Amino acid sequence: QGRRIVYGGQVIGQSLAAAIRTVPASKHLHSMHCYFLVGGTSDSNIVYTVLPLRDGKSFATRMVMAQQSGRPIYIMICSFQKLELSSLVHQSIMPLVPSPEYIAPAEEFFLNLADDPRCPESWKVPLK
């Protein structure tokens, strides 16, 4: 029975948990970049080391290295930001839409579309 590999999501989650413990609660995750160097196995412990790279008023940056048997298997760099009010918005607000269970099946939708007087004649045959 071969060695079992470690699930990457578990390594990411544990690395992030280790990094979060080193920043003030007022700062929240802003971005993270993960690099899997080699596969980890479940036959030995993973040691997580957090290196504080920057602690500013608004941002904090951490590098986390996961090692197994003294060998790096994963590196993450993450940035934390203090929540600040801003008038700058980079995304649209999600429109109100019906839940999936209230939407007509695709066949019914296309039949209704083909029956619509605004539907071009050339579309009606493919829609039906």
Side-chain angles (χ1 to χ4, degrees):
Q1 298 182 2
R3 293 166 32 166
R4 295 185 52 190
I5 62 170
V6 175
Y7 174 61
Q10 178 182 359
V11 177
I12 291 172
Q14 290 176 335
S15 297
L16 185 56
I20 286 171
R21 289 188 175 106
T22 69
V23 297
S26 61
K27 292 189 174 124
H28 301 272
L29 183 65
H30 173 256
S31 69
M32 69 180 195
H33 302 273
C34 306
Y35 304 93
F36 291 93
L37 306 175
V38 294
T41 62
S42 60
D43 60 354
S44 64
N45 291 335
I46 299 174
V47 177
Y48 296 90
T49 305
V50 180
L51 176 64
L53 299 178
R54 179 175 186 267
D55 281 306
K57 288 180 5 183
S58 297
F59 288 90
T61 307
R62 299 292 185 262
M63 182 176 81
V64 181
M65 182 186 325
Q67 293 181 314
Q68 202 166 41
S69 302
R71 186 174 87 168
I73 63 168
Y74 166 89
I75 293 174
M76 174 178 74
I77 297 180
C78 52
S79 173
F80 297 86
Q81 181 181 16
K82 185 173 96 177
L83 292 179
E84 297 174 342
L85 295 175
S86 173
S87 61
L88 185 61
V89 177
H90 294 285
Q91 62 191 28
S92 300
I93 295 173
M94 173 71 179
L96 293 175
V97 295
S99 297
E101 58 270 11
Y102 296 109
I103 297 175
E107 298 82 16
E108 184 180 331
F109 171 80
F110 289 123
L111 286 174
N112 289 338
L113 186 60
D115 291 338
D116 189 310
R118 298 169 293 175
C119 181
E121 289 298 321
S122 61
W123 291 15
K124 291 187 180 202
V125 172
L127 288 173
K128 290 187 175 188

